[in-house]
Amino acid sequence: MPKQISENKRNMILNGNLSQTILMLAVPVMINSFIQSMYNLTDTFWLGRIGTENQSAITLVSPFQNILNSFGSGITTAGAILISQYLGARKDEQANKMANHICITSLGFSLICALLCWLISPALVNWLGARGVVYEYGLTYLRIVVLDLFTAVKQAQGDTVKPMLLNLLDIMINLILDPLFLIVFHFGIGGAAFATLIAKIPCALIGLILLTKSDQL
């Protein structure tokens, strides 16, 4: 998992100019949040091109997807605070152990959420008021979309740029796959969900490699 933070980065965060450090860490996080919001925006735009029922379905289930993302972010954010404290205290071994726990917990949480979401999706979409094709489309989209839980560990180490770049790569892939799956291949709302899923796979693999690198951050 994450290795020792470099002395230069540690000194910059702990002893450097406060305003400059905050801006350096915060600006990529703000850009990253904007990029994250582009997923549903991109799907909604292209689904609107093939039918209002598809657009209505994704608008209906998006709040539930955001709730799941918030739960996942809660786990990683809590762990990120502990990692930051350990790194600031120069307890790198404990920081590595905490990062291991975060990754294992996040993986377990995502698996449980995927299973529960699959089981309760029909009742949930019905409870939201969906009927007919909107119900079918909403259920299809909700059962395919998955979560991305890489970002917080890197941010806890004072690295907010790599998560931003990875998510930028995600959205670029999604921007290409959405029209390809929806307009060219006519996959429907399932194509939008699969585009989001496939876009996250390369970046998840890159994130795993970055987290297991042996050099300093």
Side-chain angles (χ1 to χ4, degrees):
M1 304 317 295
K3 308 302 177 183
Q4 291 185 350
I5 189 171
S6 66
E7 283 300 317
N8 287 338
K9 183 170 292 185
R10 192 196 307 270
N11 290 331
M12 176 192 65
I13 295 174
L14 297 179
N15 304 315
N17 182 277
L18 182 60
S19 299
Q20 182 180 353
T21 302
I22 290 176
L23 284 175
M24 184 194 67
L25 296 176
V27 171
V29 173
M30 291 187 290
I31 297 174
N32 195 28
S33 297
F34 172 76
I35 293 172
Q36 288 285 354
S37 67
M38 288 294 293
Y39 281 109
N40 285 340
L41 182 61
T42 303
D43 289 348
T44 302
F45 173 81
W46 287 107
L47 286 170
R49 296 297 185 94
I50 64 175
T52 56
E53 294 88 355
N54 293 276
Q55 195 174 47
S56 299
I58 189 175
T59 302
L60 187 72
V61 301
S62 288
F64 180 69
Q65 180 187 351
N66 293 334
I67 290 173
L68 291 179
N69 275 301
S70 297
F71 276 112
S73 297
I75 294 175
T76 52
T77 299
I81 294 171
L82 295 175
I83 291 175
S84 300
Q85 291 176 338
Y86 284 134
L87 291 174
R90 300 179 182 274
K91 297 180 180 180
D92 296 316
E93 183 178 352
Q94 288 90 332
N96 287 334
K97 290 180 180 178
M98 180 56 61
N100 287 331
H101 294 323
I102 293 173
C103 291
I104 294 172
T105 302
S106 297
L107 177 60
F109 178 81
S110 63
L111 292 175
I112 292 173
C113 276
L115 177 60
L116 290 178
C117 182
W118 180 272
L119 294 175
I120 70 172
S121 288
L124 176 66
V125 177
N126 183 67
W127 176 73
L128 290 172
R131 299 292 184 271
V133 292
V134 175
Y135 171 86
E136 296 176 7
Y137 293 158
L139 182 61
T140 299
Y141 185 87
L142 192 58
R143 282 185 160 179
I144 296 174
V145 172
V146 295
L147 303 175
D148 175 21
L149 297 173
F150 161 69
T151 301
V153 175
K154 297 301 293 181
Q155 288 180 356
Q157 297 169 302
D159 188 345
T160 56
V161 176
K162 288 188 179 71
M164 180 194 71
L165 294 177
L166 285 177
N167 280 318
L168 181 60
L169 177 59
D170 279 349
I171 193 61
M172 290 176 63
I173 296 174
N174 194 46
L175 283 169
I176 296 172
L177 293 182
D178 261 348
L180 183 65
F181 286 176
L182 296 177
I183 306 301
V184 179
F185 295 145
H186 305 288
F187 287 166
I189 195 168
F194 275 118
T196 300
L197 171 60
I198 294 172
K200 291 184 177 182
I201 292 176
C203 297
L205 294 175
I206 294 173
L208 180 62
I209 293 172
L210 290 175
L211 287 172
T212 54
K213 282 174 65 176
S214 59
D215 56 343
Q216 286 188 332
L217 297 167

